[in-house]
Amino acid sequence: MIKKALSNLRISALNEMQEAALRTPADKDLILFSPTGSGKTLGFLLPLIKSLDPGASRVQALILVPSRELALQIEQVFKAMGTSFKITCSYGGHSTRIERNSLMHPPAVLVGTPGRVAWHLRREGFSTESVRTLILDEFDKSLEFGFQEDMSYIIGCLPALERRMLTSATRMDEIPLFTGVKDPLELNYLNKQESLPDLTYKAVLSTAEDKLEALFSLICMIGNRSTLVFCNHREAIGRIGELLDHMGIVHGEFHGGMEQEDRERTLLKFRNGTYRLLITTDLAARGLDIPEIEFVIHYQLPLTREAFIHRNGRTARMHATGTSFLLLTKEEVPAHLGVEPEVITLPKRPVVPEPTEWDTLYIAAGKKDKINKIDIVGLLLKKAQLPKEDLGLIEVLDHSSYAAVKRSQIRSVVSQLKDEKIKNRKIKIQISS
């Protein structure tokens, strides 16, 4: 089963951490410390699928995570492994009706945020009698987000629990008692040299008044290459976004104040190449399904070295290299970050990068409407006569679908499909807002 899963994921070899996690005894609690981007998801999913019983008809494993995005990412990886086991995702902002219907046919694995999983348990939405494995992924973040009460309640509802696995990208000296972890095996890869990102650190100096302008120049210098700009506050994201809109730079914005649907669409467009620039808070520092990042820009310095490490962990993942830029004023001294960046000079005349070659097509139908990727490919290649090389990533959600189409072709595609049907239904098709 493990070989098949790795083949489906197109992974030829596991890293040292994943190998060690896979070798751990099935009856032993596990605490796994490993950097962001080191492959922790496989580190716990591979041991998990070894323990699942194909003959069981109830939930066998529960995975609790701090964010909706991380829940969706784990679900996606699990499905890509191609096992025969069902997984269901549960999180705030998602339809409770859809989740309750899914739980009526219990999955082998339930992954979700503590608040929503506790909500289902309080309404007896699923049986916990067969839950043998509990995984708390990014456990420290769940505590930071205030989920301790919900997690404690959930764990108290698991009478048959045999194994607990906790993962974190931050070292914890003490594991809270409510987890029930006893005599755990600890794997600590936080300081392993091969796990550390291969990063180059650079700094841009400016006055406080000119910082926004310096960021703009830096973005122009980088051009259309995958970049995250980290801010400490949503207000800063808004100011940057206004400037970039004014200057015609295609970008996305991502923070906790956005509606879940908008957040998902933002990440989707970042994955499919509609834009390669994402302005975000530390919400994007961990546990997001986004492509390899070449550059990280710290528009506002993180308050702690740990936050700095997590931000930088979005780049130079799995043996790749990356660059971390710090925007500094004279008042800002990054000594607490433990790096000495090379100071660089920005071009005097910034050149605004051209938009990416891709844009996103919105189709108002998804999985629940019996629509799949094959339907969409047929619609675009045959009905709209779109060349195959002008069609990019397709993602099908519950009630909507999105397809990356070459920017030069997308208006023509919308025009040609205005009267077309999918599965004998007239469906709204437009350029995604």
Side-chain angles (χ1 to χ4, degrees), residues 215 219 223 225-231 237 240 244 249-255 258 262-271 275-281 283-285 288-291 293 295-297 299 314:
L215 174 64
I219 289 171
R225 297 166 74 181
S226 54
T227 305
L228 291 181
V229 178
F230 280 105
C231 305
I237 294 176
I240 295 169
L244 297 182
I249 295 182
V250 181
H251 69 284
E253 298 174 21
F254 186 83
H255 57 76
M258 298 167 61
D262 294 333
R263 282 161 57 176
E264 288 182 17
R265 188 166 57 246
T266 293
L267 295 181
L268 185 150
K269 288 185 176 184
F270 193 59
R271 285 193 294 269
Y275 41 72
R276 301 185 186 280
L277 175 64
L278 190 63
I279 319 300
T280 181
T281 59
L283 184 64
L288 290 188
D289 180 22
I290 52 180
I293 305 300
F295 301 98
V296 168
I297 299 174
Y299 179 72
R314 297 310 321 185

Side-chain angles (χ1 to χ4, degrees), residues 121-410:
L121 279 177
R122 290 187 174 101
R123 288 157 181 79
E124 299 182 349
F126 66 96
S127 170
T128 60
E129 292 179 7
S130 296
V131 177
R132 302 277 188 268
T133 305
L134 171 70
I135 297 169
L136 304 179
D137 190 24
E138 301 285 11
F139 176 65
D140 59 308
K141 210 67 179 172
S142 290
L143 290 178
E144 184 182 318
F145 287 174
F147 286 132
Q148 178 167 335
E149 185 177 333
D150 285 328
M151 288 193 294
S152 181
Y153 169 74
I154 293 166
I155 294 171
C157 294
L158 307 177
L161 204 54
E162 295 175 354
R163 191 182 195 195
R164 296 162 170 84
M165 288 190 272
L166 279 61
T167 82
S168 175
T170 302
R171 183 76 173 88
M172 298 182 69
D173 295 323
E174 189 174 337
I175 303 299
L177 292 175
F178 74 82
T179 62
V181 170
K182 296 176 182 176
D183 188 28
L185 176 67
E186 181 179 305
L187 298 178
N188 187 351
Y189 284 82
L190 292 178
N191 296 316
K192 293 275 186 179
Q193 192 60 41
E194 61 269 24
S195 297
L196 299 177
D198 182 8
L199 275 176
T200 300
Y201 297 95
K202 297 185 178 182
V204 174
L205 305 181
S206 76
T207 64
E209 295 78 14
D210 295 333
K211 196 170 186 178
L212 194 54
E213 185 178 333
L215 174 64
F216 169 71
S217 296
L218 177 56
I219 289 171
C220 290
M221 185 185 81
I222 290 172
N224 267 329
R225 297 166 74 181
S226 54
T227 305
L228 291 181
V229 178
F230 280 105
C231 305
N232 294 339
H233 310 291
R234 299 172 190 172
E235 294 78 14
I237 294 176
R239 290 196 301 273
I240 295 169
E242 287 178 7
L243 172 66
L244 297 182
D245 284 338
H246 178 70
M247 300 305 293
I249 295 182
V250 181
H251 69 284
E253 298 174 21
F254 186 83
H255 57 76
M258 298 167 61
E259 294 292 330
Q260 177 63 20
E261 183 180 350
D262 294 333
R263 282 161 57 176
E264 288 182 17
R265 188 166 57 246
T266 293
L267 295 181
L268 185 150
K269 288 185 176 184
F270 193 59
R271 285 193 294 269
N272 74 18
T274 295
Y275 41 72
R276 301 185 186 280
L277 175 64
L278 190 63
I279 319 300
T280 181
T281 59
D282 282 346
L283 184 64
R286 295 163 71 177
L288 290 188
D289 180 22
I290 52 180
E292 183 62 61
I293 305 300
E294 294 182 71
F295 301 98
V296 168
I297 299 174
H298 304 274
Y299 179 72
Q300 294 172 319
L301 293 185
L303 300 179
T304 66
R305 176 163 168 74
E306 283 182 353
F308 185 61
I309 291 171
H310 292 317
R311 288 181 177 186
N312 291 331
R314 297 310 321 185
T315 188
R317 296 160 70 88
M318 300 298 285
H319 312 300
T321 59
T323 303
S324 175
F325 289 98
L326 290 74
L327 264 66
L328 302 174
T329 65
K330 291 181 180 179
E331 295 76 26
E332 292 176 309
V333 181
H336 69 290
L337 303 182
V339 295
E340 294 184 14
E342 170 198 355
V343 177
I344 64 168
T345 302
L346 296 173
K348 292 183 178 180
R349 295 184 179 179
V351 177
V352 175
E354 293 290 327
T356 63
E357 62 177 346
W358 297 101
D359 205 341
T360 300
L361 190 70
Y362 165 75
I363 302 165
K367 296 174 187 174
K368 302 298 182 182
D369 307 295
K370 309 300 183 185
I371 300 298
N372 57 40
K373 288 185 181 180
I374 295 174
D375 297 322
I376 294 170
V377 170
L379 178 75
L380 296 175
L381 300 193
K382 294 177 182 177
K383 300 291 186 180
Q385 299 181 330
L386 184 70
K388 188 176 180 180
E389 61 271 18
D390 290 349
L391 176 60
L393 182 68
I394 297 172
E395 296 196 38
V396 181
L397 309 182
D398 284 346
H399 296 289
S400 60
S401 302
Y402 297 85
V405 174
K406 287 286 179 69
R407 201 175 289 272
S408 59
Q409 297 273 20
I410 196 164

